[in-house]
Amino acid sequence: MISVEGLTRRFGKTVAVDGLTVEIADGEVFGLLGPNGAGKTTTVRMLAGLIGVTSGRATVCGIEVTDRSAAPRLRGLVGVLPEEVGLYGDLTAAQTLDFFGRLHHLAPDVRAARIEELLNRLDLWDRRDMPASSLSKGLKQRLALARALVHDPPVVLLDEPTANLDPEVARTVREFLVDLRTRGHTVVINTHRLDEAERICDRVGILRTRLLRVGAPDQLRASMTGGRVTVDLEKVTDAVLEAAQALCGGAAGNGRAGGSADIRSHVGAVTSVDRSITAMLPLGASVADLVTAVVLAGGRVTGVTQGESLEDVYLQIVEERR
């Protein structure tokens, strides 16, 4: 759906994006993470055809973003939520969506259906007749998101989609974005909210002018921590240790020292301390696999901790680049 190779953008002597190469699949939610000035917004603008490319290439829905003759077709296939919402203050919420629906040549009945659907989904229906200028920042953000989606584009490019939203409304927007994925839309999200990226993104790319790392959140954590997972239990038994060890590819055995309350032992990739076990998951094994194995062995799980958070991994990677 989105193919990028060596994409570079310079502003004078300043390199904003340097040799970006990435493939984003149909129906994937891809998160771009990075500090301010890392090139995230510039990347989205290039993919949307809003600014030019210094060098390299990118295709979106098979269209070269540098092909100016194809720009109208590209705009019809892409929905963009910019960093600044840029609404027309005199238009009501419904009029805003109607105006942009007309720009995308939607038939009147299709336009009306999309307006009602989006305003309801984003909890704006009761405010449909309010001028955009009278809406709060959070409501304006939701209206701008609806505007980006009014023509039901297959690709959606979002710059900080939950900025200015309270936790309840941010959750509504996240659920909406996950629903877009189930409908087959490809979504690219620029965000500073790493917990949000971890919840909704299939993969993330950490950008600091250059793309530093790409992968699923679990894969990135594993790359920095060796796939370490700690499972807290009511009681550590031999059966639990054997099940965990079997999953991690070692010989099953009694991994406990003695049987005292202070258990500290190591069997291959599994260790146990008091009422918890720590496993180094092999490639291809997930946290869910480990928890399932422990439960099937009779373990009663009270908590799970997976190595480091995505925020920890992000900070390590960005510091390495610095």
Side-chain angles (χ1 to χ4, degrees):
M1 181 62 73
I2 299 176
S3 178
V4 180
E5 184 177 351
L7 195 64
T8 298
R9 172 69 197 206
R10 295 185 179 88
F11 296 96
K13 295 182 179 179
T14 301
V15 180
V17 178
D18 187 6
L20 175 64
T21 297
V22 68
E23 299 282 334
I24 302 173
D26 289 357
E28 182 177 15
V29 178
F30 187 88
L32 270 179
L33 311 179
N36 291 331
K40 304 186 302 299
T41 295
T42 299
T43 297
V44 162
R45 289 175 177 170
M46 286 191 288
L47 293 179
L50 298 177
I51 62 173
V53 172
T54 302
S55 62
R57 60 179 296 272
T59 60
V60 177
C61 300
I63 299 173
E64 291 276 354
V65 300
T66 55
D67 182 357
R68 307 316 299 172
S69 66
R73 193 156 54 98
L74 177 63
R75 304 257 171 88
L77 296 170
V78 173
V80 181
L81 174 65
E83 190 174 16
E84 299 293 334
V85 294
L87 298 169
Y88 296 114
D90 293 338
L91 295 182
T92 67
Q95 288 170 339
T96 297
L97 299 190
D98 184 70
F99 175 73
F100 282 92
R102 289 172 183 268
L103 288 181
H104 286 290
H105 308 292
L106 299 184
D109 58 334
V110 174
R111 204 162 61 239
R114 286 293 291 165
I115 290 170
E116 183 172 356
E117 177 191 357
L118 289 167
L119 292 179
N120 275 309
R121 286 296 307 276
L122 292 167
D123 294 327
L124 288 168
W125 181 251
D126 291 342
R127 298 176 174 87
R128 62 188 180 277
D129 296 324
M130 294 176 61
S133 60
S134 69
L135 300 177
S136 67
K137 286 184 178 180
L139 294 176
K140 288 177 180 177
Q141 186 81 350
R142 280 186 273 169
L143 179 56
L145 176 58
R147 178 188 61 189
L149 299 168
V150 70
H151 56 303
D152 198 25
V155 174
V156 185
L157 307 174
L158 308 175
D159 206 343
E160 300 289 348
T162 59
N164 305 312
L165 301 184
D166 62 51
E168 183 179 358
V169 177
R171 181 175 64 182
T172 298
V173 172
R174 285 194 298 268
E175 291 171 351
F176 185 74
L177 297 180
V178 171
D179 186 54
L180 286 176
R181 176 175 56 195
T182 64
R183 296 184 185 188
H185 295 262
T186 301
V187 182
V188 177
I189 301 174
N190 288 351
T191 182
H192 288 93
R193 303 178 69 162
L194 302 184
D195 59 329
E196 180 174 271
E198 194 158 14
R199 276 184 255 180
I200 66 176
C201 293
D202 300 300
R203 290 187 303 149
V204 297
I206 298 177
L207 187 70
R208 193 178 178 92
T209 306
R210 297 187 65 84
L211 190 62
L212 306 181
R213 205 74 60 88
V214 177
D218 285 353
Q219 292 173 333
L220 292 180
R221 281 196 301 266
S223 71
M224 305 298 287
T225 66
R228 184 177 67 251
V229 179
T230 298
V231 180
D232 299 321
L233 300 136
E234 289 187 358
K235 182 181 179 181
V236 177
T237 66
D238 291 344
V240 164
L241 282 167
E242 289 170 1
Q245 187 61 37
L247 177 70
C248 294
N254 186 344
R256 296 182 295 161
S260 64
D262 184 19
I263 301 169
R264 295 180 180 276
S265 58
H266 181 270
V267 182
V270 179
T271 61
S272 66
V273 178
D274 297 330
R275 295 182 181 179
S276 68
I277 63 170
T278 297
M280 308 299 285
L281 294 180
L283 188 64
S286 68
V287 177
D289 294 332
L290 177 62
V291 171
T292 299
V294 167
V295 170
L296 290 176
R300 295 178 64 86
V301 177
T302 60
V304 179
T305 305
Q306 186 175 5
E308 302 180 47
S309 68
L310 182 60
E311 181 177 9
D312 294 329
V313 172
Y314 163 82
L315 291 172
Q316 288 183 52
I317 293 171
V318 169
E319 283 301 317
E320 285 175 4
R321 170 63 175 170
R322 181 178 291 137

